[in-house]
Amino acid sequence: MAMVGLFWIAEGDVYLGAKPSGMAPGVRLTPEGVMGLGDGQSRLHLWEDVHALTMADVPLKSLLRRAGIVGGVAVETVMNLVLPERPLRSGEAPPMMTLRVESGGSGDTLRAYAAAAAGYSETEVGLSGAVLSRLTDGAATMATTLAAMADWGRTEGGAPRGAERERLLRRWADQEA
């Protein structure tokens, strides 16, 4: 399993944001459509009906965000040493992202947790948006792009570095149908 841009790819399954567990909200991209997962958003939007996919509330990588994560871990560690009877905190929930699904004259909002604790780079957000747009270009384009993403997920064994993630996103956004 690996994160590439806003996508979490695990053994051929493609998710937007973090792969959900239990009743946590999430979004899975399947050959059939965009599937909302979790409590209150379990539904499928068929690709043939989807006209646009737009992301919002995506946390961007910043020095402040990274410092906050490191600082939060440091403070929590000190507190656990000073007050050992205090139960360990599991930390805050990751930020939520929103996917707007436009289909047949109406829209729906699906939510998913961000998979990148320190946020996403602006380049990866932009390239991920291009991939999402590509998925709405028609059945052949969607099938080719999603298949390329899933195939990559089945054959790769780890999270790629930033430059490799950007290269993959560019390749998926520019796939020939």
Side-chain angles (χ1 to χ4, degrees):
M1 70 184 144
M3 182 182 66
V4 179
L6 300 181
F7 305 98
W8 186 263
I9 304 170
E11 300 173 6
D13 292 332
V14 179
Y15 297 89
L16 195 57
K19 178 181 177 181
S21 102
M23 293 307 292
V27 177
R28 183 170 172 215
L29 305 173
T30 72
E32 294 77 32
V34 180
M35 183 180 294
L37 303 169
D39 194 28
Q41 67 176 25
S42 298
R43 59 182 106 25
L44 176 67
H45 297 277
L46 298 175
W47 286 116
E48 60 204 39
D49 299 329
V50 175
H51 303 294
L53 298 171
T54 310
M55 288 301 300
D57 308 319
V58 177
L60 294 176
K61 196 177 281 187
S62 70
L63 183 56
L64 226 64
R65 184 179 294 280
R66 283 185 281 210
I69 289 169
V70 171
V73 170
V75 167
E76 190 170 326
T77 301
V78 169
M79 291 301 291
N80 287 329
L81 290 172
V82 173
L83 302 169
E85 70 281 351
R86 183 178 154 267
L88 290 172
R89 234 176 67 202
S90 61
E92 293 180 15
M96 284 282 220
M97 302 186 303
T98 305
L99 175 68
R100 178 83 176 157
V101 181
E102 298 291 335
S103 59
S106 66
D108 190 16
T109 301
L110 300 175
R111 303 199 29 96
Y113 285 114
Y120 300 93
S121 75
E122 288 187 40
T123 302
E124 286 187 68
V125 172
L127 290 169
S128 296
V131 172
L132 287 172
S133 179
R134 183 108 179 111
L135 292 173
T136 63
D137 282 348
T141 303
M142 177 279 303
T144 303
T145 304
L146 241 141
M149 295 171 80
D151 288 345
W152 179 86
R154 281 190 283 275
T155 59
E156 292 303 315
R161 294 242 183 244
E164 175 65 9
R165 289 192 308 265
E166 289 178 15
R167 188 187 67 71
L168 284 165
L169 290 165
R170 280 188 180 89
R171 187 175 78 193
W172 296 333
D174 295 334
Q175 284 280 329
E176 292 293 324

